[in-house]
Amino acid sequence: MTAHPVRQESETTSMTDATSMTDATSMTETTSATDATSATDADRSRAADPLVRFLAAADAAPGRTAVLAVDGRLSFAELARRTAELAGALRAHGIGRGDRVGVHLRRTTDLPVALLAVWRAGAAYVPLDPAYPRDRLAFMAENAGLALLLTTEPGAVPLPDGVPVLGPDATGGTGPDTPVTARDAAYVIYTSGSTGRPKGVEATRGGVAALLAGLEERGVYRPEPGVVGWSASVSFDASVQQWARVCRGDTVVVVDDPTRTDPQRLAALLDEHGVTDLDLTPSHWELLREPLAGRPVRLFMGGEPVPQATWDEIGGGGTDALNLYGPTECTVDSTVARIAGPRPHLGDALPAVALHLLDPALRPVAPGATGELYLAGPAVAHGYVGRPDLTAERFVACPFVPGARMYRTGDLARRGPDGTLEFAGRADDQIKLRGFRIEPAEIEAALTRHPRIREAAVKVHEAAPGDQRLTAYVTVSTSATTSGTPDLAPDGILAHARTLLPAHMVPAAAVVLDALPLTPNGKLDRAALRPPAPGTTGHTATGAALAGAASAGAAPAGTASAGAASAGTDPVGTGLAEQVAGVWRTVLGRDDIRPDDDFLTLGGHSLAALRVIHILRRTLGIELQLRHLLDARDLADFTEAVRTAGQAPAARRPALVGGAAGAR
């Protein structure tokens, strides 16, 4: 096969965003400024464009498996052909350098085809998660200024007038790929925004190239091709580090939604395809430790700080695991550390990343002192789409390299005694929840779009060790225009939030207050926002629990669940309904569980659902799948699913041993 080459033009403008290529392993706070040297065009060219690498890999091994997904397999030759054809169709619609193409696709082979085809047309892709609310998708499509949308579901994304729509199977002429530079945009990924709307981070092709090259240089990627489990949503930057590995010749296994949320199915997939590398958050480790035990899989852990207990368990157990840190604004990963040793740490910077710990006057802090972390180098993004004010605030001039910029992360860090970087918290209110980056202000702004809500605040509370949940606190309008209308209940507040926010940003509980607590200087006193009492109704309640308690003929809270299941003999023991309800009460931290309650509406999330399934599997000795809970209408429906699973012949649990050979 002869691939169509991508010509990477030499830069014709100065690399004003470049900063340093310092060896981060020897960097300290007091020397990072003086050791930093400006990155030149030659520095950037060391990292080949990812598309150039993909086409070289396709030429070198055309028959090797490039992509595996629920809908089939693509060899490198097939992937090169399909991406060339779709890129031709994009060019026929006028797509080229500087354009942004929306990608709204399910997790099939179509997804990597679309992403690579956009690159081959010289454009940047904008992922639009099918699970997001329409209002959010509409904002992203308009804010990004989409030139075209790739989807199999026309009409699913509200588009500005004149934006054409193509399917991922569209074909066109297969001429030469559009020439690009390292400064051309690779993608725009939206993160939670402190101004009340998500903000689009525009990363560069050179940034992706530097990411892949840096991880290779540090030994994070093995020299030989691997089999990578792509588990992250394409809407999150962690996905780039996973799917783009096809560009270096790795096989990418697209993990579908049911599999990536079910430990047993995930374990079977790892064995079936011989997956060698898998990303996960520390929050997922508790539920995946058993399926991952004994499997020769390298774990890439990131998205949130690794707790001490998790660090000790992984490091002490000899698991091959790495801790990766980096903001979206610096192209996914900026530091790496092997999970080993006595305490959690971030390790040190990847090659081509300049790391500075600075005080408020942008001066290096003393060794061992805590400072705000600033990052510089070719992986620094262009900025925020359509937000020059916010871009100027967060992407600031580097005081150490004339003409260079650095990104202000908002993370606090310090150097440990051995020189490794240690995370020390945030300089602002940003939250990391189950691997998701969340700005409370965006949730608060969405809540106050309700005509009855006057003020809003959100806070994370730990309902149980490792189980963190968002709680919304609101005050409601009592103006004359709302007099005579029913009180605004928590279920209405959360239903409103679900129409505007993705699932991971919807609070698990809502509390109506007479007034938000304030500090003496008149600012919100978040410390005074207490967690809602379990099982309370009144002004402190959640979702359908309140609606259920108000229903006519409702049984007292704490006793209703005993009647959740319909009549019949329990094959797995007496009182099945009460056992299932008891697990819900334990996991959700609530007493007011009713048969007609929905798990997600009560504040449940994917990790909580996995805990329910895990406990019931252990206590009842049955084969239960996550879909049984997520597909259930309510507690009663789920109880019947548990009953049915208990009547089925016992299935042999998969052995916790290494799997089959890779899919290549």
Side-chain angles (χ1 to χ4, degrees), residues 9-18 38-42 44 97 181-184 204 382 403:
E9 295 178 340
S10 60
E11 297 287 356
T12 58
T13 58
S14 63
M15 300 301 170
T16 55
D17 289 352
S38 177
T40 64
D41 292 358
R44 284 181 180 269
R97 291 180 63 187
T181 74
R183 299 284 297 138
D184 277 285
T204 67
H382 283 318

Side-chain angles (χ1 to χ4, degrees), residues 14-50:
S14 63
M15 300 301 170
T16 55
D17 289 352
T19 50
S20 79
M21 305 288 288
T22 307
D23 180 2
T25 58
S26 61
M27 187 184 298
T28 66
E29 297 87 356
T30 55
T31 62
S32 61
T34 57
D35 288 350
T37 57
S38 177
T40 64
D41 292 358
D43 292 325
R44 284 181 180 269
S45 66
R46 293 178 197 162
D49 182 82

Side-chain angles (χ1 to χ4, degrees), residues 244-476:
R245 288 187 58 177
V246 75
C247 296
R248 64 182 298 271
D250 294 333
T251 296
V252 172
V253 180
V254 185
V255 185
D256 66 335
D257 289 320
T259 301
R260 65 185 182 139
T261 54
D262 189 310
Q264 300 305 317
R265 292 180 64 164
L266 181 61
L269 178 138
L270 298 180
D271 289 346
E272 179 183 0
H273 299 306
V275 171
T276 60
D277 301 292
L278 183 70
D279 278 68
L280 73 162
T281 64
S283 297
H284 283 90
W285 168 252
E286 176 187 348
L287 298 160
L288 295 176
R289 62 159 70 90
E290 180 182 335
L292 292 174
R295 287 178 166 82
V297 178
R298 175 169 291 178
L299 302 181
F300 294 67
M301 195 163 285
E304 60 190 351
V306 181
Q308 182 71 56
T310 302
W311 185 277
D312 291 342
E313 182 180 14
I314 292 175
T319 301
D320 185 4
L322 300 162
N323 185 27
L324 294 144
Y325 160 84
T328 304
E329 291 83 349
C330 295
T331 319
V332 192
D333 296 320
S334 303
T335 72
V336 63
R338 188 163 296 281
I339 297 182
R343 70 187 189 287
H345 62 89
L346 304 179
D348 223 318
L350 292 176
V353 174
L355 182 157
H356 306 288
L357 292 176
L358 306 178
D359 66 13
L362 299 185
R363 296 171 302 199
V365 300
T370 298
E372 186 170 355
L373 181 58
Y374 290 74
L375 299 170
V380 173
H382 283 318
Y384 303 113
V385 173
R387 293 298 310 275
D389 53 339
L390 187 58
T391 298
E393 177 185 331
R394 306 302 299 188
F395 295 82
V396 300
C398 179
F400 314 118
V401 181
R405 292 191 313 159
M406 57 185 183
Y407 173 67
R408 179 183 182 184
T409 68
D411 289 324
L412 302 177
R414 58 178 170 265
R415 292 284 181 180
D418 60 355
T420 56
L421 196 66
E422 297 177 351
F423 179 72
R426 286 288 300 176
D428 54 22
D429 295 326
Q430 188 185 101
I431 297 166
K432 283 293 187 76
L433 183 65
R434 298 188 293 277
F436 297 107
R437 168 175 154 180
I438 296 172
E439 295 285 357
E442 184 179 354
I443 303 175
E444 293 160 0
L447 291 170
T448 56
R449 290 173 64 182
H450 191 290
R452 293 285 309 279
I453 295 178
R454 187 174 68 249
E455 300 172 297
V458 296
K459 185 177 179 180
V460 172
H461 296 290
E462 191 167 41
D467 183 11
Q468 294 186 320
R469 302 181 190 177
L470 276 172
T471 299
Y473 301 84
V474 305
T475 64
V476 298

Side-chain angles (χ1 to χ4, degrees), residues 17 61 130 149 238 244-245 251 288 334 337 356 364 450 462 518 540 551 567 582 594 602 613 630 638 656:
D17 289 352
L149 176 67
R245 288 187 58 177
T251 296
L288 295 176
S334 303
H356 306 288
H450 191 290
E462 191 167 41
L518 302 177
T540 306
S551 300
R594 294 178 41 80
L602 289 179
I613 298 301
L630 298 182
F638 176 59
L656 299 179

